[in-house]
């Protein structure tokens, strides 16, 4: 990726990305997901907290106030596989490129692991993820699921 292309995915001034789980405002993230994210509506706080413990957690924060404005989580073995999930940007800052920069930061954080595949399940925002090489499954007939679809 060229330096110019990399700049396309930088956070706007006044925001910073962190993978420090201690910075995550778990209550705020739970509220976002359980009340406004179609895939997590009604998720309990206990389930949310448990999911965070077993995952890599990423946040975008306002530099001045430290307030969290976006979140993403990755379930991974750090060797072969990862699942990107719970990507959420607060409605008040959508349209500023924060979500795109968040996904770029997650991708860059995972790069040293040389994972064979990173999966994502989403009903929207396909264009954002395609910028990073995500594509539809080439052979969906090989994939199976146990549980809710």
């Amino acid at each position: 990726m060229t330096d110019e292309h990399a700049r396309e995915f930088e956070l706007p001034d006044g925001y910073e990305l962190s993978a420090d789980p201690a910075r995550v405002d778990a209550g705020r993230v739970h509220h976002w997901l359980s009340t406004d994210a179609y895939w997590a509506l009604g998720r309990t706080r206990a389930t949310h907290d448990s999911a965070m413990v077993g995952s890599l957690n990423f946040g975008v924060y306002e530099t001045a106030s430290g307030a969290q404005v976006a979140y993403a989580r990755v379930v991974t073995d750090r060797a072969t596989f990862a699942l990107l999930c719970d990507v959420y940007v607060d409605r008040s800052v959508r349209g500023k490129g924060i979500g795109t920069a968040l996904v770029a930061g997650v991708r860059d954080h995972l790069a040293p692991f040389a994972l064979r595949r990173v999966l994502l399940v989403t009903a929207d925002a396909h264009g954002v993820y395609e910028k990073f090489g995500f594509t539809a499954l080439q052979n969906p007939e090989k994939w199976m699921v146990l549980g809710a679809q």
Side-chain angles (χ1 to χ4, degrees), residues 1-10 107 131-132:
M1 179 183 316
T2 66
D3 287 341
E4 182 177 313
H5 190 66
R7 280 192 297 275
E8 178 183 353
F9 304 127
E10 287 182 356
R107 176 208 54 204
K131 293 176 186 178
F132 302 101

Side-chain angles (χ1 to χ4, degrees), residues 13 30 37-38 46-47 52 61 64 72 75-76 101 114 125 134 137-138 141-142:
D13 288 341
H30 172 256
Y38 67 86
T47 297
M52 285 183 61
Y61 305 88
V75 180
T76 184
F134 283 93
L137 291 174
Q138 295 301 309
E141 69 278 1
K142 291 182 178 181

Side-chain angles (χ1 to χ4, degrees), residues 78-102:
R78 294 179 173 94
T80 63
F81 170 84
L83 172 67
L84 173 60
C85 50
D86 288 344
V87 178
Y88 186 91
V89 177
D90 187 270
R91 288 183 177 276
S92 68
V93 297
R94 289 184 186 170
K96 295 182 176 186
I98 289 172
T100 300
L102 172 59

Side-chain angles (χ1 to χ4, degrees), residues 61-78:
Y61 305 88
E62 291 179 345
T63 307
S65 69
Q68 187 167 356
V69 298
Y71 175 77
R73 157 174 100 77
V74 175
V75 180
T76 184
D77 61 8
R78 294 179 173 94

